[in-house]
Amino acid sequence: MDWTVYWFMFPACIVIAGTATFSGISGAALMTPVFLVGFPLMGVPTLSTVAAIGAALFLETSGFGAGVFHYWRMRLADIHTVRALSLVTVPAAIAGALLAHHAPVTTLRIGYGVAMLGVAWMLARDGDSQKKRPDAPCPCIVCESECATAECLEEERRRLRTTTGTTYTWCAIRMRSQRVFSGIGAFLAGLISTGVGEATLPLLARRSRFPVPVAAATSTFVVAVTVVAASITHGVLLARQGGLSAIPWNLIVWGVPGAIIGAAFGTRLQGRFPERATRIFFAALFGGIGVCFLIAFTVFAQRFNDLPLKP
């Protein structure tokens, strides 16, 4: 096993984990394309689709673990919401991971590309919701400011004070549907490595009216717990099928430190960029990833086959 072949994953994971933790969106959404499209183009040993999904989730766990620690110290996450969503997302992610090892490879790849286009559409569509709707139960659509809670039910009232002294007050509405969307996203995360962050962060901020910093921190907690369950499931299944050698340790040894360092930077960037600009950036990024994936695994399917080289 060549322990230096994946050295470039150290700086790559710093950038990817920093971007993911800052945004609250799944880091595996950016990691999987590097494994399945980038590795063949660079001429380095490739990974099978399932191994790439498992490795992306494991590295995401490392990065989001550092993010969780930072947000925990800041007391920025809504722990009540984290518990409620995790009860749904963890079993859903495990179910998706189990199915991934039996689903056709082409289906997983095409499904990933379509999912990326769906995420891009959702983020772009959020940009049209900046104007206040007259029927909105909470007066702020972009919840950087506090929502009035006079009309909230008692169980919907939320108040959070961070260690920096900032106090957030909001009305957490539509949480039942949030559990459904996050559960679907978690299933897709286990299946194709992405979905839970994309189904949690935007909807917490847009539908449930969470303040954006609180939504990002809460989403980070939910994603971390969920991908831990999914990555452990993938790891166990890969080890059962091919032994411990089936796990790309020579990639993980470079990726984990990079993910931890990147997450530390990413948490400190939270709130320093305009929400609209961030949304447009990620909409364009995920749209580009989706298009590249669909082209790579349809038009150039022979070039990106699922026959990994031995590291």
Side-chain angles (χ1 to χ4, degrees):
M1 181 176 288
D2 186 348
W3 292 94
T4 62
V5 67
Y6 295 122
W7 66 269
F8 58 89
M9 287 305 300
F10 177 71
C13 283
I14 292 177
V15 175
I16 292 172
T19 303
T21 309
F22 139 71
S23 64
I25 289 176
S26 168
L30 305 176
M31 203 82 69
T32 302
V34 174
F35 296 157
L36 296 182
V37 178
F39 280 13
L41 292 177
M42 290 185 286
V44 298
T46 58
L47 304 177
S48 68
T49 299
V50 174
I53 291 171
L57 289 171
F58 183 83
L59 294 177
E60 182 179 6
T61 300
S62 305
F64 271 83
V68 164
F69 176 74
H70 183 76
Y71 284 136
W72 176 266
R73 291 181 61 186
M74 293 176 65
R75 297 180 185 175
L76 190 55
D78 180 11
I79 301 302
H80 175 78
T81 299
V82 172
R83 291 196 191 101
L85 295 182
S86 297
L87 288 174
V88 177
T89 60
V90 168
I94 292 174
L98 291 172
L99 181 60
H101 287 256
H102 302 284
V105 170
T106 302
T107 301
L108 293 178
R109 290 173 163 184
I110 299 301
Y112 188 92
V114 172
M116 288 296 96
L117 292 178
V119 170
W121 174 82
M122 181 178 66
L123 292 174
R125 182 173 175 270
D126 281 347
D128 298 331
S129 65
Q130 301 296 317
K131 297 181 180 180
K132 183 179 73 173
R133 296 180 307 179
D135 61 337
C138 189
C140 62
I141 297 300
V142 181
C143 295
E144 303 248 10
S145 59
E146 295 182 358
C147 291
T149 57
E151 299 180 4
C152 284
L153 299 175
E154 186 62 32
E155 62 270 18
E156 294 175 340
R157 295 176 186 272
R158 302 288 172 85
R159 184 180 179 86
L160 186 150
R161 183 177 177 83
T162 70
T163 55
T164 62
T166 304
T167 299
Y168 297 98
T169 305
W170 73 98
C171 180
I173 61 173
R174 298 172 179 159
M175 292 307 296
R176 289 185 179 179
S177 61
Q178 179 65 59
R179 293 186 186 94
V180 174
F181 286 120
S182 291
I184 294 172
F187 177 80
L188 292 175
L191 183 67
I192 58 175
S193 81
T194 186
V196 61
E198 294 76 9
T200 301
L201 173 59
L203 297 181
L204 281 178
R206 180 170 177 260
R207 288 173 55 87
S208 298
R209 310 293 186 239
F210 277 55
V212 171
V214 177
T218 302
S219 175
T220 297
F221 270 66
V222 174
V223 170
V225 173
T226 304
V227 298
V228 164
S231 63
I232 290 175
T233 304
H234 276 289
V236 170
L237 292 176
L238 284 171
R240 287 186 60 186
Q241 294 169 5
L244 292 178
S245 61
I247 300 173
W249 299 109
N250 55 346
L251 185 156
I252 290 172
V253 74
W254 291 101
V256 169
I260 293 174
I261 294 171
F265 283 114
T267 53
R268 287 169 173 77
L269 294 175
Q270 176 53 238
R272 297 192 180 185
F273 294 91
E275 184 196 354
R276 179 178 176 80
T278 302
R279 183 188 297 116
I280 293 173
F281 169 77
F282 280 106
L285 178 62
F286 288 132
I289 290 174
V291 170
C292 288
F293 240 74
L294 292 177
I295 293 175
F297 297 116
T298 54
V299 179
F300 301 102
Q302 292 298 321
R303 175 69 177 82
F304 299 94
N305 58 46
D306 203 29
L307 297 175
L309 303 175
K310 277 197 171 184

